[in-house]
Amino acid sequence: MARGHIFRTWDDYFIPGTSVLRNKFTAPGKPYGETDPDKLRTLEEAFAHSRIQELAETPIAGRFDYDHMKAIHGAIFQDVYDWAGQERVAPVGQFMTKDGHAYYGAGPHLTAAAEAEYAKLASKNYLRGLEPAEFVDQLAESWGEVNVIHSFREGNTRSQFVFFSQLAEQAGYRIDATQFASGAPLRDAFVEARFHSQDTGRNDRLAAVLGQAIAPFDAGPGESHHGAESRSPLWQASFPQSANAAGRASTAPSADPRRGMLRQAGRGYRAEPEGR
């Protein structure tokens, strides 16, 4: 792959003349990377899995803002794509559709929506101090909104799992991500719940699914709840929000009018399915 490639349009992401993403697995005769889509998928999944394991052991310290999410995406896909950690630049417009489900189109409104959503987490004290049911509801609300923004060209779901797992741990909860792996009991329900969120603007189904895989940390005898979680690497890497930050979260569903535009979108730019 030529160094310094600039991504401006949807086609810029692809190896010229193909529907395969440009990638770092270059070789003689493959200046833009691996051209076989099955081989690329295998390589991408292997390298991403390895990086996700690294992040579980040595998480990225951050403030649970947009830069934190970008850093996580960059770490996961640094071996595969030049644009790892970068907001997607296409398709430009109010929305795009994938398999009939609407997402934000690229452009300033996507950036603004992302920044606003992460700011909500800060205003809610990163979901700290919530009882389990309220925590799950608020986590689902944030997760559903971040998903419909869909900041990256590829790898949104994996980045979201790392980000929200770290967010959960600093709030005293653990997400059992193994229940959402391919073939796992909650996988299909999770995918369907996110599509429901996109189509309706409601995150109740997502909360119902996530609630089956989220539990508070167990505290040992004589040990406080926060004493147990403080041993977690994810907790230790988390931004130490001060106790006087904004308090409990509102349980009201999102009222962002742009979600209404997305729900009403009958036609849009059709992108390749990701779901990963």
Side-chain angles (χ1 to χ4, degrees):
M1 178 186 298
R3 291 185 177 276
H5 181 79
I6 298 174
F7 298 90
R8 293 194 180 96
T9 71
W10 191 253
D11 288 341
D12 288 338
Y13 285 107
F14 299 104
I15 294 174
T18 77
S19 60
V20 180
L21 293 173
R22 292 172 182 257
N23 59 82
K24 292 186 173 183
F25 303 114
T26 58
K30 298 180 178 180
Y32 304 108
E34 177 55 60
T35 57
D36 185 306
D38 294 329
K39 289 181 180 179
L40 175 58
R41 179 178 295 274
T42 299
L43 287 166
E44 184 208 81
E45 290 179 349
F47 276 89
H49 177 75
S50 177
R51 293 298 187 180
I52 289 171
Q53 292 298 108
E54 289 180 5
L55 290 177
E57 298 171 2
T58 310
I60 293 174
R63 298 171 179 262
F64 299 105
D65 55 11
Y66 199 16
D67 285 340
H68 193 178
M69 177 66 91
K70 289 176 181 177
I72 287 171
H73 185 274
I76 295 173
F77 297 100
Q78 62 183 294
D79 307 297
V80 186
Y81 302 118
D82 275 348
W83 42 264
Q86 299 176 17
E87 181 180 292
R88 61 181 163 85
V89 300
V92 176
Q94 287 298 311
F95 61 87
M96 70 174 187
T97 62
K98 292 167 63 175
D99 290 346
H101 305 286
Y103 299 85
Y104 278 74
H109 66 292
L110 184 153
T111 306
E115 295 285 5
E117 198 57 44
Y118 294 107
K120 287 181 186 177
L121 282 175
S123 73
K124 296 175 181 180
N125 199 17
Y126 307 102
L127 310 190
R128 293 180 177 184
L130 302 181
E131 294 301 317
E134 188 176 4
F135 173 80
V136 171
D137 284 346
Q138 289 300 318
L139 181 71
E141 185 68 20
S142 180
W143 200 324
E145 297 305 306
V146 166
N147 178 62
V148 80
I149 293 168
H150 229 61
S151 295
F152 308 110
R153 174 58 185 81
E154 181 80 2
N156 288 276
T157 301
R158 284 167 284 184
S159 300
Q160 290 165 16
F161 263 106
V162 173
F163 180 91
F164 285 113
S165 292
Q166 185 171 348
L167 178 78
E169 293 212 11
Q170 62 83 42
Y173 293 88
R174 177 175 287 132
I175 301 174
D176 182 3
T178 62
Q179 295 197 43
F180 301 101
S182 181
L186 295 178
R187 172 71 176 189
D188 289 343
F190 175 73
V191 172
E192 292 171 2
R194 293 203 306 172
F195 285 152
H196 175 76
S197 168
Q198 291 169 241
D199 296 342
T200 67
R202 295 180 56 87
N203 295 300
D204 50 338
R205 287 191 187 178
L206 184 56
V209 174
L210 290 172
Q212 298 177 61
I214 293 176
F217 279 92
D218 293 327
E223 185 175 37
S224 71
H225 176 64
H226 289 287
E229 73 207 17
S230 66
R231 294 194 300 267
S232 164
L234 290 179
W235 167 269
Q236 294 167 2
S238 298
F239 173 60
Q241 175 70 6
S242 62
N244 62 357
R248 300 176 69 80
S250 167
T251 57
S254 171
D256 188 341
R258 289 169 293 192
R259 289 300 298 273
M261 292 173 59
L262 290 168
R263 292 194 296 274
Q264 296 300 321
R267 297 180 181 178
Y269 191 105
R270 181 167 299 278
E272 286 71 25
E274 178 196 334
R276 297 185 293 133

